[in-house]
């Protein structure tokens, strides 16, 4: 059988997008299009009637969304389902609703125009943001806007939904994704959207393979035609050849067999054949993933992305809310530890009405944002300290560039400890404080930074972007985003060596940790732990238990002498062959 690389290289019938939800599926396509809404700006003669119609449309929209929310709670955990609860909250926003009613009275034009215009203002603020998270939320709000307008026009959305098809659409709202899943959708393919879109999040939660951001899938794929979706690599094959169908059918079988063979590693540690133990930990977005973390046999939570709470709740939670969330998290994984990263957000998400940064990725984000907004930062710190009484929480600072940022953050943490002692609140006085290593300045001074903190966690996603000066979301330069670049490998090595000076443990929590091809190289570079998506943990354990640390170290030392990504990648592949390791990247 031809290799994956040969199939990809020679295939002209492939569409490349973002691998949003893992899995492989072969099935019939269903081109899903929504009727375009025509909005009238015609004058009205009866204001009271118009307001009555608006209130009725609002009530019907709430009823629709409540029904979807109830379905979501059945199919997903409550934290994921909260996406739809947040949509319901928008429909109860008194400022928005009062503005619409006052404009109807004053302007005396169709309510549908005013609804569309007012909600579009919210969307525009999100779209001009440079954060993909905010742009994705704008798509969610489009669904709410269209829902109210359709109900004002007394139109119901009629779509014949077939069972067991691969849905191909320009974009999918969270509601679309959920409703298709009720009809046993096999997979999703969209022109627009990214990893942070709610449709992508729901797909992952429901284990439905998805490829998003293809740009032109709807223009190329014909309705009711057989297509292949590779949710591991982000490829869609239209009009697949017999060879491609056989290739992916075999992959599906091998993947099933591999998954069966992984169960034995649930209760096993990740230990190399010569006895070096590697802590394999989980990256977690929301608490609903904890069950998967526990069942996968993770050694703890290496990264809890606390900023996802803002996504789920739609606002900054207060101290009591955060304390409850973090306490529940720590209790559920106890005696395993949980590393909570402070809100890792860009300034433009919450300050764009005051000032729009020309380049938010190099602006007020991460620790810079938190230190600038000390009250918000202290609220989170106090909540984390209050939740730390079982002594299994670690606290991590995002995007640290200077020693001064560490010193300032530690000073604020000490202030919070004093405040809690004053009111006799119990907490872990020796809570470990670490930093994300994701900025070149921090990497260069790794030794000095290691003397100031309890642990490092290398965030390769941002580190590679900053090292290579490349936006991996930009198709024009995406090929420069190279995780096996000598620059990246040598930087990781430099960080590990600097940390050793003060016995500071080093983890890696970027997507590179979940790339099974990279695992022996990372172990050989001397990393103490790897933190990854819960779905990858058993694969990682299997690989680590298949080679010796001594050989991995020799291979890593050899890779540090190479000058190109290709040399390094070829050497790592050869390592897999030499040690007869089943290479998951080849299987899936």
């Amino acid at each position: 059988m031809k290799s994956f690389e040969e199939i990809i290289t020679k295939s002209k019938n492939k569409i490349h997008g973002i691998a949003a939800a893992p899995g492989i599926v072969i099935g019939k396509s269903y081109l899903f299009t929504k009727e375009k809404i025509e909005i009238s700006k015609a004058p009205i003669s009866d204001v009271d009637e118009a307001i009555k119609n608006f209130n009725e449309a609002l009530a019907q929209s709430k009823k629709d969304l409540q029904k979807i929310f109830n379905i979501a709670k059945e199919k997903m955990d409550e934290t994921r389902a909260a996406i739809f609860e947040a949509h319901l909250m928008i429909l109860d926003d008194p400022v928005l609703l009062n503005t619409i009613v006052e404009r109807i009275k004053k302007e005396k034009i169709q309510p549908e125009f005013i609804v569309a215009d007012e909600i579009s203002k919210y969307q525009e603020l999100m779209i001009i943001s440079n954060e993909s998270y905010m742009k994705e939320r704008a798509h969610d709000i489009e669904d709410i806007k269209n829902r109210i307008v359709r109900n004002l026009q007394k139109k119901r959305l009629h779509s014949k939904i077939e069972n067991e098809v691969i849905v191909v659409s320009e974009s999918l709202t969270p509601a679309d994704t959920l409703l298709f899943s009720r009809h046993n959708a096999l997979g999703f393919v969209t022109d627009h959207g990214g990893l942070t879109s709610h449709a992508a999040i729901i797909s992952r939660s429901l284990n439905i393979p998805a490829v998003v951001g293809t740009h032109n899938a709807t223009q190329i794929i014909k309705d009711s035609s057989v297509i292949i979706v590779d949710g591991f690599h982000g490829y869609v094959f239209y009009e697949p050849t017999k060879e491609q169908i056989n290739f992916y059918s075999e992959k599906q079988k091998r993947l099933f067999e591999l998954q069966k063979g992984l169960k034995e590693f649930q209760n096993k540690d990740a230990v190399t054949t010569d006895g070096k133990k590697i802590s394999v930990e989980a990256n977690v977005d929301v608490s609903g993933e904890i069950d998967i973390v526990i069942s996968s046999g993770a050694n703890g939570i290496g990264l809890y992305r606390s900023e996802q709470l803002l996504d789920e709740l739609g606002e900054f939670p207060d101290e009591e809310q955060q304390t409850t969330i973090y306490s529940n998290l720590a209790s559920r994984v106890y005696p395993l530890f949980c590393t909570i990263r402070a809100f890792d957000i860009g300034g433009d998400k919450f300050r764009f009405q005051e000032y729009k940064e020309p380049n938010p990725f190099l602006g007020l984000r991460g620790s810079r944002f938190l230190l600038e907004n000390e009250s918000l930062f202290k609220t989170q710190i106090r909540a984390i300290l209050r939740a730390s009484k079982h002594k299994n929480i670690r606290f991590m600072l995002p995007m640290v560039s200077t020693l001064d940022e560490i010193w300032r953050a530690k000073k604020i943490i000490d202030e919070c400890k004093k405040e809690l002692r004053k009111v006799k609140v119990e907490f872990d006085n020796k809570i470990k404080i670490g930093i994300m290593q994701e900025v070149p300045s921090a990497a260069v001074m790794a030794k000095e930074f290691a003397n100031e903190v309890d642990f490092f966690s290398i965030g390769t996603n941002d580190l590679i972007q900053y090292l290579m000066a490349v936006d991996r979301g930009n198709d024009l330069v995406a090929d420069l985003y190279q995780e096996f670049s000598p620059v990246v490998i040598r930087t990781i090595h430099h960080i590990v060596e600097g940390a050793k000076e003060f016995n500071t443990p080093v983890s890696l929590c970027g997507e590179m940790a979940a790339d099974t091809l990279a695992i022996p190289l990372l172990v050989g570079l001397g990393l103490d732990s790897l933190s990854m998506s819960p779905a990858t943990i058993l694969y990682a354990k299997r690989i680590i238990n298949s080679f010796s640390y001594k050989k991995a170290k020799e291979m890593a030392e050899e890779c540090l002498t190479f000058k190109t990504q290709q040399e390094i990648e070829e050497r790592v592949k050869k390592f897999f062959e030499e040690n007869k390791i089943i290479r998951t990247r080849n299987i899936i």
Side-chain angles (χ1 to χ4, degrees):
M1 180 181 284
K2 289 184 180 178
S3 69
F4 175 77
E5 285 77 9
E6 286 176 301
I7 290 280
I8 292 299
T9 305
K10 295 186 178 178
S11 297
K12 293 182 180 178
N13 61 331
K14 70 178 184 293
I15 302 167
H16 192 203
I18 298 165
I24 293 166
V25 64
I26 303 169
K28 189 172 72 169
S29 66
Y30 170 60
L31 259 61
F32 172 63
T33 54
K34 282 187 178 177
E35 180 187 345
K36 289 206 171 178
I37 297 174
E38 298 292 330
I39 295 173
S40 169
K41 196 182 177 181
I44 56 171
S45 54
D46 190 335
V47 170
D48 290 338
E49 180 70 17
I51 292 172
K52 177 172 169 283
N53 290 341
F54 167 64
N55 287 328
E56 286 176 356
L58 192 65
Q60 183 60 50
S61 299
K62 287 182 186 177
K63 190 176 174 183
D64 295 343
L65 279 173
Q66 185 63 53
K67 184 179 176 183
I68 293 166
F69 179 42
N70 291 338
I71 295 167
K73 285 192 288 186
E74 286 174 22
K75 293 191 74 90
M76 302 185 295
D77 63 86
E78 286 207 17
T79 315
R80 295 284 199 203
I83 291 169
F84 299 98
E85 191 172 29
H87 289 185
L88 281 165
M89 288 167 67
I90 292 170
L91 296 181
D92 281 322
D93 181 348
V95 176
L96 175 64
L97 302 184
N98 289 339
T99 302
I100 291 170
V101 169
E102 289 304 312
R103 281 190 63 185
I104 292 171
K105 291 177 182 175
K106 183 180 176 183
E107 299 174 30
K108 296 182 174 59
I109 55 177
Q110 291 291 338
E112 64 194 62
F113 175 82
I114 293 169
V115 166
D117 187 52
E118 279 301 317
I119 296 180
S120 292
K121 288 177 185 175
Y122 281 82
Q123 288 179 282
E124 283 163 16
L125 289 171
M126 292 174 170
I127 289 167
I128 62 171
S129 160
N130 284 297
E131 293 281 347
S132 61
Y133 159 89
M134 293 299 284
K135 290 178 181 177
E136 297 294 356
R137 297 300 78 82
H139 291 305
D140 289 358
I141 290 177
E142 179 76 14
D143 181 49
I144 297 168
K145 177 175 75 179
N146 291 342
R147 195 175 292 279
I148 300 172
V149 171
R150 276 198 306 271
N151 284 322
L152 272 166
Q153 296 175 346
K154 303 289 193 290
K155 288 182 178 178
R156 304 300 290 161
L157 188 62
H158 297 294
S159 288
K160 185 191 171 190
I161 301 177
E162 295 185 40
N163 284 314
E164 299 187 343
V165 291
I166 299 169
V167 180
V168 182
S169 182
E170 286 189 12
S171 62
L172 288 170
T173 67
D176 294 332
T177 313
L178 190 67
L179 293 174
F180 276 120
S181 75
R182 289 194 85 197
H183 290 266
N184 301 317
L186 300 176
F188 297 112
V189 178
T190 65
D191 290 347
H192 310 297
L195 280 175
T196 57
S197 68
H198 275 145
I201 291 168
I202 292 168
S203 297
R204 290 194 289 274
S205 184
L206 297 175
N207 294 316
I208 300 174
V211 175
V212 301
T214 62
H215 303 301
N216 59 357
T218 55
Q219 296 167 36
I220 296 172
I221 296 170
K222 294 174 184 174
D223 192 36
S224 297
S225 62
V226 174
I227 61 172
I228 300 170
V229 176
D230 180 347
F232 290 105
H233 297 92
Y235 287 105
V236 180
F237 294 85
Y238 57 95
E239 298 175 4
T241 63
K242 188 176 179 182
E243 181 184 45
Q244 289 168 340
I245 290 172
N246 290 341
F247 180 85
Y248 274 100
S249 296
E250 188 60 31
K251 274 180 176 289
Q252 285 178 313
K253 288 177 194 170
R254 292 177 68 194
L255 182 58
F256 178 73
E257 290 301 316
L258 180 64
Q259 287 168 336
K260 280 203 305 186
L262 288 172
K263 288 182 181 177
E264 65 175 285
F265 291 94
Q266 282 179 337
N267 300 312
K268 279 187 180 180
D269 285 328
V271 183
T272 61
T273 54
D274 51 355
K276 182 173 175 65
K277 183 179 176 182
I278 303 297
S279 182
V280 181
E281 300 150 13
N283 293 343
V284 173
D285 289 327
V286 292
S287 54
E289 293 177 329
I290 300 303
D291 290 339
I292 308 170
V293 172
I294 294 167
S295 65
S296 69
N299 295 120
I301 294 176
L303 172 64
Y304 178 78
R305 300 181 178 98
S306 68
E307 62 275 7
Q308 290 294 328
L309 293 175
L310 312 182
D311 181 2
E312 304 297 338
L313 300 174
E315 61 184 0
F316 282 105
D318 62 27
E319 186 176 327
E320 293 305 319
Q321 284 176 296
Q322 289 189 63
T323 302
T324 300
I325 292 165
Y326 304 144
S327 295
N328 289 341
L329 182 69
S331 297
R332 288 185 69 188
V333 299
Y334 187 84
L336 302 176
F337 69 87
C338 173
T339 306
I340 301 174
R341 182 173 69 189
F343 295 134
D344 188 9
I345 48 182
D348 62 325
K349 281 184 187 176
F350 298 96
R351 294 169 55 110
F352 51 69
Q353 294 181 62
E354 300 171 33
Y355 172 66
K356 182 180 180 296
E357 293 187 277
N359 192 340
F361 290 101
L362 299 178
L364 195 68
R365 59 179 302 212
S367 290
R368 301 168 187 176
F369 175 85
L370 296 170
L371 293 169
E372 182 77 10
N373 294 273
E374 192 173 311
S375 174
L376 182 151
F377 191 23
K378 288 184 82 171
T379 297
Q380 184 176 35
I381 293 168
R382 281 195 301 269
I384 288 170
L385 287 171
R386 288 171 61 187
S388 70
K389 60 184 178 182
H390 295 304
K391 296 181 171 38
N392 68 326
I393 288 180
R394 307 192 307 175
F395 187 45
M396 184 158 66
L397 305 172
M399 194 181 169
V400 172
S401 306
T402 66
L403 284 169
D404 185 60
E405 287 169 346
I406 297 176
W407 295 332
R408 287 172 64 193
K410 284 166 75 173
K411 185 180 176 212
I412 293 170
I413 293 167
D414 285 339
E415 287 171 8
C416 290
K417 286 181 176 180
K418 284 177 187 173
E419 290 169 11
L420 293 177
R421 280 194 206 101
K422 199 172 180 180
V423 291
K424 294 182 169 52
V425 171
E426 185 184 355
F427 63 89
D428 181 5
N429 189 46
K430 294 182 178 179
I431 188 170
K432 292 188 183 301
I433 310 296
I435 64 165
M436 291 286 291
Q437 270 281 2
E438 52 191 346
V439 179
S441 62
V444 169
M445 291 186 64
K447 184 172 78 171
E448 289 76 9
F449 280 47
N451 191 31
E452 299 292 336
V453 296
D454 297 308
F455 63 93
F456 284 162
S457 188
I458 301 174
T460 49
N461 298 4
D462 275 343
L463 182 61
I464 296 170
Q465 290 193 110
Y466 289 129
L467 281 172
M468 306 300 290
V470 60
D471 174 7
R472 63 183 176 146
N474 183 337
D475 293 342
L476 298 174
V477 292
D479 60 321
L480 290 172
Y481 183 87
Q482 301 172 353
E483 61 182 29
F484 287 100
S485 163
V487 175
V488 175
I489 303 308
R490 292 182 194 183
T491 301
I492 293 172
H493 178 254
H494 179 76
I495 293 169
V496 171
E497 290 301 303
K500 278 182 185 175
E501 294 279 334
F502 296 96
N503 295 316
T504 304
V506 185
S507 179
L508 190 143
C509 65
E511 286 177 16
M512 191 175 182
D515 183 345
T516 51
L517 184 65
I519 287 171
L521 177 57
L522 295 175
V523 171
L525 287 169
L527 285 151
D528 301 288
S529 60
L530 302 173
S531 191
M532 61 195 70
S533 162
T536 317
I537 287 170
L538 294 178
Y539 295 107
K541 283 187 175 185
R542 180 175 185 152
I543 289 170
I544 292 168
N545 281 271
S546 302
F547 62 83
S548 77
Y549 173 63
K550 183 186 175 189
K551 287 183 179 177
K553 190 170 186 290
E554 289 169 357
M555 181 262 292
E557 287 170 353
E558 195 178 337
C559 287
L560 288 168
T561 68
F562 293 146
K563 298 177 183 177
T564 67
Q565 159 155 310
Q566 188 178 358
E567 287 176 289
I568 293 172
E569 199 161 342
E570 288 304 317
R571 180 63 189 92
V572 176
K573 288 176 184 175
K574 188 179 174 186
F575 182 85
F576 273 79
E577 291 167 9
E578 289 169 347
N579 292 276
K580 297 182 173 59
I581 304 169
I582 297 174
R583 189 153 80 86
T584 318
R585 187 154 146 177
N586 253 3
I587 293 172
I588 57 175

